């Protein structure tokens, strides 16, 4: 038996076998990453790979730490999709909005209304919603003291 670098050995067919004493590190998926998978799958419900994707997502959730899984499930409950076959996409605000949802932090938003007028608001994010071909942040607007829908492409 010839031992190679990093705990590998030459296998019976000439390939390599990893030494059992040199296990691969665990794959760590954050709750936000699990939600990204779930949202992408939900947005592509009609795709040929959708069923396999759901099975893969369950496997990911099964190996997550219990507290992280609960957090992922709670965060996942805060994404609502009415349209099918649409992905979240990337805007300047997508990352900040997702992070604020995950960490329950108030967002200081600069957005535009339908007429293009700029506004500044502090919003308590509650969920992401997909409807009428647009993504929205639904949250409590501290300025209006009421719930509001903010289009992500205008933030």
């Amino acid at each position: 038996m010839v031992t190679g670098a990093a705990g590998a050995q030459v296998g019976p067919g000439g390939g390599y076998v990893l030494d059992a004493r040199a296990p691969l590190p665990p794959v760590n998926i954050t709750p936000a990453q699990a939600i990204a998978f779930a949202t992408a799958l939900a947005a592509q419900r009609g795709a040929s790979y959708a069923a396999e994707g759901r099975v893969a997502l369950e496997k990911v959730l099964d190996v997550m730490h219990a507290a992280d899984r609960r957090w992922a499930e709670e965060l996942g409950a805060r994404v609502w999709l009415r349209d099918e076959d649409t992905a979240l996409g990337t805007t300047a605000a997508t990352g900040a909005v997702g992070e604020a949802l995950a960490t329950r932090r108030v967002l200081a938003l600069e957005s535009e209304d339908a007429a293009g007028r700029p506004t500044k608001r502090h919003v308590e994010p509650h969920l992401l919603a997909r409807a009428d071909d647009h993504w929205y942040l639904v949250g409590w607007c501290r300025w209006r003291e009421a719930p509001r829908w903010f289009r992500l492409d205008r933030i």
Side-chain angles (χ1 to χ4, degrees):
M1 175 185 317
V2 178
T3 302
Q9 60 187 1
V10 176
Y16 286 89
V17 176
L18 288 178
D19 187 328
R21 296 171 299 189
L24 294 173
V27 176
N28 295 316
I29 304 293
T30 67
Q33 291 166 338
I35 294 310
F37 295 152
T39 302
L41 287 168
Q44 301 290 322
R45 283 189 291 261
S48 60
Y49 57 82
E52 290 298 316
R54 285 189 296 276
V55 170
L57 177 61
E58 281 301 317
K59 288 179 181 181
V60 166
L61 292 172
D62 285 345
V63 298
M64 290 178 75
H65 185 274
D68 285 346
R69 180 179 177 137
R70 280 191 302 277
W71 190 33
E73 289 169 344
E74 180 183 322
L75 187 56
R78 294 166 43 175
V79 176
W80 177 77
L81 298 170
R82 187 171 82 184
D83 296 340
E84 288 190 26
D85 297 327
T86 52
L88 178 57
T90 303
T91 69
T94 303
V97 169
E99 180 69 20
L101 273 167
T103 59
R104 297 177 181 240
R105 290 194 177 135
V106 174
L107 280 168
L109 297 183
E110 292 184 18
S111 63
E112 294 179 352
D113 64 15
R117 292 181 298 257
T119 65
K120 292 183 180 183
R121 316 245 179 140
H122 286 88
V123 177
E124 300 170 23
H126 291 285
L127 66 98
L128 284 176
R130 173 78 189 180
D132 302 325
D133 294 324
H134 296 289
W135 277 98
Y136 295 88
L137 165 64
V138 181
W140 182 261
C141 176
R142 290 185 170 179
W143 182 63
R144 294 273 189 188
E145 295 185 353
R148 290 286 188 263
W149 289 54
F150 300 92
R151 268 184 42 182
L152 285 188
D153 61 341
R154 292 183 181 159
I155 296 175

